Amino acid sequence: MPPAPCPCGLAESYAACCGRFHTGALAAPTAELLMRSRFSAFAVGDTAYLLRTWHPDTRPRRLDLDPGQEWTRLEILGRTGGGLLHAEGTVEFRAHYRHRGRDGVLEENSRFRRDDGHWVYLDAEA
């Protein structure tokens, strides 16, 4: 049986997709791939990766994930910038989850910025 696809929605296995970013073997080369890897980090409970990829100006001191929340699916709705030659970018997405037996959706337009050459999550556009 082939490995399950990555939680981020791309066809590769977790290890070949977002797992390689979570281990630190590679850095996400675009804002969208960082967004996808952060969704996967929420899905697998990798708070260290989430904090490591959060801009130092907006990063919380600690992050406690709700064990009753299961992230189930990610849809990318749009993007601006965020490519190999950009310093900033946005990724608009819809994240589906199940919380204590109820389905829910989080929609956000996240802002990303390069910090020391690596993409990091800055904040959500209002």
Side-chain angles (χ1 to χ4, degrees):
M1 181 154 86
C6 189
C8 81
L10 296 177
E12 292 96 355
S13 69
Y14 168 75
C17 193
C18 292
R20 64 197 169 136
F21 303 136
H22 294 176
T23 65
L26 291 172
T30 66
E32 180 182 332
L33 285 175
L34 180 66
M35 170 60 234
R36 288 179 177 280
S37 69
R38 286 178 56 83
F39 175 85
S40 290
F42 275 103
V44 302
D46 190 343
T47 56
Y49 180 78
L50 291 166
L51 290 169
R52 193 168 70 243
T53 58
W54 210 312
H55 194 281
D57 292 347
T58 57
R59 176 176 44 224
R61 274 202 162 96
R62 58 181 281 185
L63 182 62
D64 296 314
L65 301 180
D66 183 343
Q69 187 147 347
E70 175 191 4
W71 295 94
T72 57
R73 187 166 59 96
L74 177 66
E75 294 176 81
I76 302 297
L77 305 175
R79 69 186 81 58
T80 63
L84 298 175
L85 303 177
H86 298 113
E88 297 183 343
T90 66
V91 179
E92 185 179 0
F93 67 91
R94 186 177 295 134
H96 298 261
Y97 62 87
R98 191 169 230 342
H99 186 255
R100 302 187 202 289
R102 289 204 151 117
D103 291 331
V105 174
L106 168 72
E107 285 195 34
E108 184 175 300
N109 194 17
S110 294
R111 294 191 316 152
F112 296 89
R113 184 173 290 160
R114 284 199 193 263
D115 183 56
D116 199 22
H118 298 284
W119 283 108
V120 290
Y121 169 76
L122 182 62
D123 58 18
E125 284 190 339

